[in-house]
Amino acid sequence: PHLGKELEDWVAEKDTVRLIRNGERQGLIRSKNRGAEEAVGEIVVFLDAHCEVNTNWLPPLLAPIKTDPHTLTVPLVDRIEYSTFAYNSIYPPESKPVGIWEWGLLYKEMRNELAEVED
């Protein structure tokens, strides 16, 4: 409610943004499902209220989709220090996280250590 008019005014100035409101509280998943049903673009991106993105966050997510339109992408998430807002990777430099989707659409992450390649 506190973003009501201010958000509506901001959206009204945008050509590529639509605001869709539920008549009553539906919860996160129902709201995302409704957003997906109402979407008119080729790609749907969901950001939760606690998400903050940085410069050039979207191209690495779109590149695999361009190669294979049936692909789902998930970003790597950094830790943000609450007192300084400094970004810290939660992944060690030698790891290469790989995500998998189980049949129930449960996302899991595996960490594969990068092997050194010998010539």
Side-chain angles (χ1 to χ4, degrees):
H2 66 281
L3 288 180
K5 179 82 169 104
E6 183 180 344
L7 179 60
E8 290 167 6
D9 291 346
W10 181 88
V11 169
E13 297 174 1
K14 309 297 178 198
D15 292 331
T16 58
V17 177
R18 291 187 304 142
L19 178 61
I20 300 167
R21 293 190 184 273
N22 293 325
E24 60 185 37
R25 284 185 151 297
Q26 294 293 316
L28 178 66
I29 301 305
R30 283 187 180 151
S31 296
K32 285 184 178 184
N33 285 338
R34 177 158 182 231
E37 289 171 356
E38 299 271 350
V40 295
E42 294 181 44
I43 296 173
V44 178
V45 176
F46 289 107
L47 294 176
D48 292 337
H50 64 274
C51 293
E52 182 174 331
V53 297
N54 209 331
T55 304
N56 289 326
W57 65 276
L58 191 55
L61 295 176
L62 296 179
I65 296 170
K66 183 174 182 171
T67 302
D68 179 0
H70 297 97
T71 297
L72 295 171
T73 59
V74 178
L76 296 179
V77 178
D78 290 327
R79 178 179 54 236
I80 301 175
E81 179 60 40
Y82 76 93
S83 59
T84 64
F85 295 105
Y87 288 91
N88 298 297
S89 176
I90 61 173
Y91 306 99
E94 66 278 358
S95 72
K96 181 182 179 187
V98 175
I100 61 169
W101 291 93
E102 291 189 340
W103 285 106
L105 284 182
L106 176 65
Y107 179 78
K108 289 187 175 181
E109 187 174 274
M110 303 181 316
R111 294 190 181 168
N112 295 333
E113 301 304 316
L114 294 175
E116 290 186 30
V117 178
E118 296 182 24
D119 292 330

